[in-house]
Amino acid sequence: SASRTVAYGQKIHWDLPGGRMDEGATIDETLKREISEETGIQNFDNKGLCDAVISNIEIKNENCGLILFVYEIEPRGEYQIKLDDEHTEFGWFDKNEAAQKLSFKYPPSFVKKLETT
């Protein structure tokens, strides 16, 4: 499981690569764009939807409800992680450690599902 550090306001936390959909874009196009922009990984297999969860997080001093679609991917071939300006570091974690690190943004139902899969 790959996670990265992201800053929203003054809070630093671990998160998964992702972002908002552009108008007219498909979920698959958005997934490819976000993975490429945030990690530099160009080629990967989409293993399918892992979960869809609702999260509340503070963005610019306002609570924001987000619907998060979490996909499992597997990189193909050789790659080198290249972070964008929004991120300070990355790490590869087993599911239990990832669940612990992601508990800031993701609801307990998702964290528990991640720990038990």
Side-chain angles (χ1 to χ4, degrees):
S1 181
S3 298
R4 59 193 67 258
T5 305
V6 179
Y8 284 115
Q10 299 299 316
K11 297 179 182 175
I12 304 294
H13 65 278
W14 286 96
D15 198 357
L16 298 170
R20 292 179 174 86
M21 292 181 69
D22 293 334
E23 185 175 344
T26 66
I27 291 173
D28 192 51
E29 290 167 342
T30 301
L31 180 64
K32 288 177 182 176
R33 178 180 53 81
E34 289 294 340
I35 295 296
S36 175
E37 285 177 2
E38 295 189 14
T39 69
I41 296 173
Q42 300 290 321
N43 298 308
F44 62 86
D45 294 322
N46 180 353
K47 300 291 186 176
L49 182 65
C50 174
D51 202 1
V53 298
I54 297 174
S55 175
N56 290 319
I57 190 167
E58 189 175 300
I59 299 176
K60 297 181 183 176
N61 298 322
E62 292 187 28
N63 284 329
C64 181
L66 302 173
I67 300 174
L68 308 170
F69 295 92
V70 182
Y71 286 84
E72 181 179 353
I73 68 159
E74 184 175 319
R76 282 188 306 225
E78 292 185 25
Y79 60 89
Q80 182 177 2
I81 298 295
K82 297 175 186 168
L83 298 179
D84 64 9
D85 293 342
E86 297 176 21
H87 306 96
T88 59
E89 61 184 301
F90 77 94
W92 298 102
F93 307 104
D94 66 36
K95 289 183 178 186
N96 289 330
E97 190 175 2
Q100 179 185 12
K101 290 183 179 295
L102 295 171
S103 64
F104 171 81
K105 180 176 179 181
Y106 293 82
S109 60
F110 173 75
V111 172
K112 184 173 180 144
K113 180 176 182 177
L114 188 59
E115 289 174 327
T116 59
T117 58

